[in-house]
């Protein structure tokens, strides 16, 4: 049984694990392997706590999907980040910041249910349009969003991926997708 609920403070490590598993399975082949190998769920969980993502007053909302009480995925949404900067928010648009699902649940409807919940949450906050940034090489995610009615709007960005040892980051191309919300 799939349930969707709002993130609570004790969910940080479970969400971090889902996030990392999603990166490792979904980005293999175009994200540097050394980056994927060194992802640390304890550090990612602490970053969530430091950002206060479970705080009801936080501008972004995270919803957790559970199947029989076991975390299976999450989504985060809120106001659009100008230049993907959390401190520069554009209240005119909503943004889907993330949807990550445990690879064992890919294709079982969990991601579609999370997207529907995020869209409902964005619409409830008054937005009529939302945006999402997608790695250009992530064909699976791009197909998912296109099937859900979003389309690339021509905006591009470069996502910097830091490498170990302080070397220059690898930059991955991103595409911005836009969709309409009910209302």
């Amino acid at each position: 049984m799939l349930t969707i609920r709002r993130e609570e403070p004790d969910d940080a490590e479970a969400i971090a694990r889902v996030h990392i598993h999603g990166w490792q399975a979904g980005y293999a082949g175009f994200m540097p392997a050394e980056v994927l190998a060194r992802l640390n769920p304890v550090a990612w969980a602490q970053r969530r706590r430091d950002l206060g993502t479970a705080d009801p007053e936080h501008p972004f909302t995270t919803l957790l999907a559970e199947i029989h009480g076991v975390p299976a995925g999450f989504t985060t949404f809120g106001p659009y980040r100008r230049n993907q900067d959390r401190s520069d928010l554009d209240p005119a648009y909503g943004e889907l910041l993330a949807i990550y699902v445990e690879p064992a649940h890919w294709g079982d409807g969990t991601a579609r249910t999370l997207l529907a919940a995020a869209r409902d949450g964005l619409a409830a906050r008054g937005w009529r349009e939302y945006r999402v940034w997608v790695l250009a090489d992530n064909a699976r995610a791009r197909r998912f969003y296109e099937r859900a009615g979003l389309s690339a709007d021509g905006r591009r960005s470069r996502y910097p991926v830091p490498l170990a040892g302080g070397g220059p980051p690898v930059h991955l191309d991103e595409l911005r997708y836009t969709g309409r919300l009910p209302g």
Side-chain angles (χ1 to χ4, degrees):
M1 176 171 178
L2 175 66
T3 59
I4 305 290
R5 65 174 176 80
R6 191 174 176 120
E7 174 188 18
E8 297 174 3
D10 289 343
D11 295 325
E13 287 186 26
I15 291 171
R17 280 192 303 277
V18 169
H19 203 166
I20 287 171
H21 295 159
W23 269 50
Q24 289 171 331
Y27 298 164
F30 57 88
M31 176 83 65
E34 67 100 348
V35 170
L36 296 175
R38 73 175 150 88
L39 297 177
N40 180 331
V42 173
W44 281 36
Q46 188 58 50
R47 185 174 69 196
R48 293 194 71 78
R49 289 186 199 97
D50 292 346
L51 290 171
T53 60
D55 183 342
E57 300 301 315
H58 196 279
F60 303 101
T61 300
T62 296
L63 301 177
L64 179 64
E66 294 177 318
I67 297 177
H68 302 292
V70 177
F74 76 94
T75 184
T76 301
F77 58 90
Y80 183 69
R81 301 164 300 148
R82 290 183 187 102
N83 299 312
Q84 300 187 53
D85 180 349
R86 288 177 181 260
S87 66
D88 187 10
L89 304 178
D90 182 349
Y93 303 99
E95 182 175 0
L96 180 65
L97 279 73
I99 288 184
Y100 289 95
V101 173
E102 282 287 350
H105 293 289
W106 288 1
D108 73 0
T110 300
R112 285 189 310 276
T113 302
L114 283 167
L115 179 58
R119 289 173 50 123
D120 288 348
L122 289 163
R125 290 172 66 178
W127 286 299
R128 297 296 161 242
E129 183 179 314
Y130 70 114
R131 299 167 171 177
V132 60
W133 287 97
V134 183
L135 291 174
D137 288 336
N138 192 344
R140 181 183 187 90
R142 292 177 61 193
R143 282 190 308 273
F144 171 77
Y145 290 121
E146 289 164 5
R147 283 193 307 261
L150 287 96
S151 57
D153 67 4
R155 291 286 312 267
R156 298 180 77 85
S157 180
R158 307 265 307 181
Y159 182 77
V161 179
L163 300 175
V170 171
H171 287 87
L172 302 177
D173 290 325
E174 291 183 298
L175 306 173
R176 189 174 75 183
Y177 277 66
T178 303
R180 301 288 305 156
L181 293 163

